[in-house]
Amino acid sequence: MHKGETISHLTDQVRACTICSDLPLGPRPIFQLGASAKLLIVGQAPGRITHEKGVPFDDPSGDRLRTWLGVDRTTFYDAKKTAILPMGFCFPGTGSGGDLPPRSECAPAWRTQVLDALTEVELTLVIGRYAIDWHLPDYGRHTVTEAVKAWSDVWPAQLILPHPSPRNNRWLKTNPWFETTVIPALQSRVRDLL
């Protein structure tokens, strides 16, 4: 099986996944894979809006992320260029403080085999605590802010980002260095890759 068939086969398998059949809105794996993708975005889990639409980052968080990347929607949603692989593929439900964490069953079931199939990736964006813990466990004992500040340690193959959610507006205001230092480097790298 060549890599395009491998990705297609994995996509079919993951879309049919019902490991978390007890989810409040039921399983609906949401991700984007392409055998030739150079950019990989790894985040937390789809939110309620994403679950309803069935499209990753088709919300205000996605608008901000596309601005950070310096790409339009067409480029962002081109699986030949950009892969999107959350830590949990399905909306985990809502708790008292917002969305629940990604379900723990998802990553062990799928993550390694999907990542192994994405052989063309040159830049992985690691967004949020759960993605940091899986992809960059050495940063697990750091706060997200500390991990983001250490961005040049893993650059240019990876980049640690805060979540682009509007809930992080305060973080962005108190950390202006992020948008003046990290974002220009990110946009330049993405232009070179895509």
Side-chain angles (χ1 to χ4, degrees):
M1 200 180 302
H2 68 72
K3 72 179 170 182
E5 290 173 335
T6 300
I7 292 288
S8 179
H9 180 69
L10 276 170
T11 297
D12 292 345
Q13 286 184 304
V14 175
R15 289 223 191 282
C17 181
T18 59
I19 291 172
C20 300
S21 60
D22 62 334
L23 289 167
L25 299 180
R28 185 178 190 186
I30 299 170
F31 58 94
Q32 176 175 295
L33 301 178
S36 60
K38 301 276 189 212
L39 175 64
L40 171 61
I41 299 168
V42 296
Q44 309 291 72
R48 182 180 298 275
I49 293 171
T50 297
H51 175 87
E52 291 168 3
K53 291 182 175 182
V55 179
F57 287 107
D58 190 20
D59 57 14
S61 295
D63 294 339
R64 176 174 278 158
L65 182 56
R66 284 184 287 279
T67 298
W68 286 352
L69 295 170
V71 299
D72 59 18
R73 290 178 62 85
T74 302
T75 301
F76 187 82
Y77 290 115
D78 183 346
K80 294 176 185 171
K81 297 177 180 180
T82 306
I84 302 171
L85 189 67
M87 292 304 301
F89 294 138
C90 300
F91 172 60
T94 305
S96 60
D99 290 349
L100 294 172
R103 289 285 292 258
S104 60
E105 302 92 332
C106 195
W110 299 111
R111 198 148 202 88
T112 299
Q113 59 186 316
V114 173
L115 289 171
D116 287 349
L118 294 171
T119 59
E120 301 299 314
V121 170
E122 294 185 34
L123 173 60
T124 300
L125 303 182
V126 182
I127 302 174
R129 172 86 280 142
Y130 297 98
I132 292 168
D133 290 348
W134 178 278
H135 288 269
L136 296 164
D138 290 347
Y139 292 86
R141 58 190 184 278
H142 296 87
T143 66
V144 172
T145 300
E146 291 168 341
V148 174
K149 281 184 178 178
W151 70 279
S152 61
D153 293 348
V154 297
W155 185 255
Q158 296 171 311
L159 181 62
I160 304 166
L161 295 175
H163 198 282
S165 168
R167 290 182 182 201
N168 276 339
N169 286 343
R170 185 172 157 206
W171 186 93
L172 291 169
K173 284 184 180 178
T174 58
N175 294 282
W177 54 268
F178 174 75
E179 290 189 318
T180 59
T181 304
V182 179
I183 295 304
L186 172 59
Q187 289 177 350
S188 176
R189 180 99 167 95
V190 168
R191 270 193 309 273
D192 291 344
L193 287 177
L194 306 183

